[in-house]
Amino acid sequence: EIQVKFILRPFLPDMATKQLFEVLAKSRRSTANFTAGHQIPTTILRSILEVTLRTPTSFNLQPYCVVLAQTEEAKAALSDAMLGGNKARVLNSSLTAVFLADTEPSKRLNALVDLERASGVRHPSYLAHLPLSASFFTGEGTVLSNAIKSAATSIISPVRPVPSASLSGASGWSNKNCGMAAMTFMYACEAEGLQTCPMEGYDSRRVREALRVPDRYEVCMAVATGVGEGGEDGKGAKGGLTSRFRLEDVFFDDTFGNNHVDRVKDRGQEEEEKTTTSS
């Protein structure tokens, strides 16, 4: 089995980077069963978490926290909130990472501005406009204020481009960002030879109670993490890759429904005709 380690990009040729990522992305599968009793070494876990921190987020606000349920007591409490087979996954995995979306991301702004200013990476004008820009895009506010913003942007949109204001408020915005962090976490685990299983089958109210989650956070997803149990290649997919829709069902060129695969064929024929004509 190929195990891929994260290496700094400057030290890798482009082709090697491409091959490493393809192996990583295509080898990762959700694991149905975990080997009980396995512990993740501290150095490996720290490496995974440091990679996860590099997840890109809107305005770099990083609107999420992660609770790692590792002790038997924490896993038992969390398992009581899980549904179906997820209960056993939490109990048998090395840990379950519960990703929490911050629905009050503005409370992170001051700390973020301090970090950005200290790093010297951001232009001062960017930092000056950050609080106002972030407050609009995140959708934080009351239902009424978000409805007003949504109505206003709908009126202005035909005249000039404006950001969409979501009626779901900061919840939808933060969960999108949090989901990207969860995916980075799963790829980082795969690179370390660990298996994962993202889970949504749980009672979020019980999860919050078990982990003592503050009111401002929502449960985005839980990711069981550890070593896959033998008999199913440790992956839970019985030795094969799960199905995916065809490229032409998912990817479109220029406009929705414009078949990407057909366009690629057309371009290939055009290039071939040009080559033939020039020769």
Side-chain angles (χ1 to χ4, degrees):
E1 181 181 352
I2 299 176
Q3 292 187 8
V4 183
K5 300 293 182 182
F6 280 104
I7 306 174
L8 292 177
R9 184 181 176 85
F11 298 103
L12 285 172
D14 286 346
M15 185 55 69
T17 304
K18 172 181 178 296
Q19 292 173 341
L20 283 171
F21 183 74
E22 282 191 359
V23 171
L24 180 67
K26 292 180 179 179
S27 64
R28 198 223 145 259
R29 300 196 295 277
S30 292
T31 297
N33 303 301
F34 290 90
T35 301
H38 177 268
Q39 290 188 336
I40 301 173
T42 302
T43 54
I44 290 179
L45 179 57
R46 183 173 180 85
S47 175
I48 290 169
L49 301 183
E50 287 176 344
V51 170
T52 302
L53 281 177
R54 299 309 308 167
T55 301
T57 57
S58 182
F59 296 106
N60 197 29
L61 268 175
Q62 304 157 64
Y64 62 89
C65 287
V66 187
V67 176
L68 306 174
Q70 301 184 73
T71 65
E72 295 305 315
E73 293 78 12
K75 290 194 289 185
L78 180 59
S79 70
D80 284 340
M82 309 306 287
L83 306 177
N86 289 342
K87 185 183 294 288
R89 294 182 185 107
V90 168
L91 291 173
N92 294 331
S93 60
S94 303
L95 64 84
T96 294
V98 180
F99 285 78
L100 306 170
D102 189 353
T103 62
E104 298 177 15
S106 63
K107 292 183 177 179
R108 296 170 175 263
L109 267 171
N110 289 338
L112 175 65
V113 170
D114 289 342
L115 283 173
E116 297 279 37
R117 186 175 290 117
S119 71
V121 174
R122 301 290 192 184
H123 194 279
S125 63
Y126 171 86
L127 294 178
H129 291 93
L130 179 58
L132 180 61
S133 299
S135 65
F136 189 93
F137 278 91
T138 61
E140 192 171 351
T142 65
V143 174
L144 178 60
S145 65
N146 285 327
I148 293 173
K149 285 191 287 186
S150 179
T153 55
S154 297
I155 294 172
I156 299 172
S157 180
V159 180
R160 55 175 293 184
V162 289
S164 299
S166 174
L167 291 176
S168 64
S171 173
W173 180 87
S174 291
N175 274 280
K176 284 190 291 185
N177 285 275
C178 187
M180 291 195 292
M183 190 69 254
T184 302
F185 173 84
M186 287 186 277
Y187 278 143
C189 289
E190 185 70 24
E192 294 288 356
L194 297 170
Q195 284 76 57
T196 53
C197 181
M199 301 176 291
E200 288 188 296
Y202 48 74
D203 184 326
S204 60
R205 292 160 297 189
R206 290 193 174 203
V207 171
R208 294 166 58 83
E209 182 178 352
L211 304 182
R212 301 178 184 176
V213 178
D215 290 340
R216 67 186 261 197
Y217 292 95
E218 291 183 357
V219 182
C220 177
M221 73 177 73
V223 182
T225 306
V227 174
E229 194 175 66
E232 290 185 343
D233 193 28
K235 301 284 187 176
K238 300 188 183 299
L241 294 175
T242 52
S243 302
R244 292 295 184 270
F245 290 113
R246 301 176 305 167
L247 280 174
E248 52 266 43
D249 295 327
V250 178
F251 299 98
F252 305 126
D253 271 10
D254 297 334
T255 57
F256 190 92
N258 197 7
N259 192 301
H260 171 73
V261 174
D262 288 344
R263 288 288 296 275
V264 170
K265 291 179 181 178
D266 292 341
R267 290 194 196 107
Q269 291 176 353
E270 291 174 1
E271 291 174 0
E272 185 176 344
E273 290 173 0
K274 288 180 181 178
T275 302
T276 304
T277 301
S278 61
S279 60

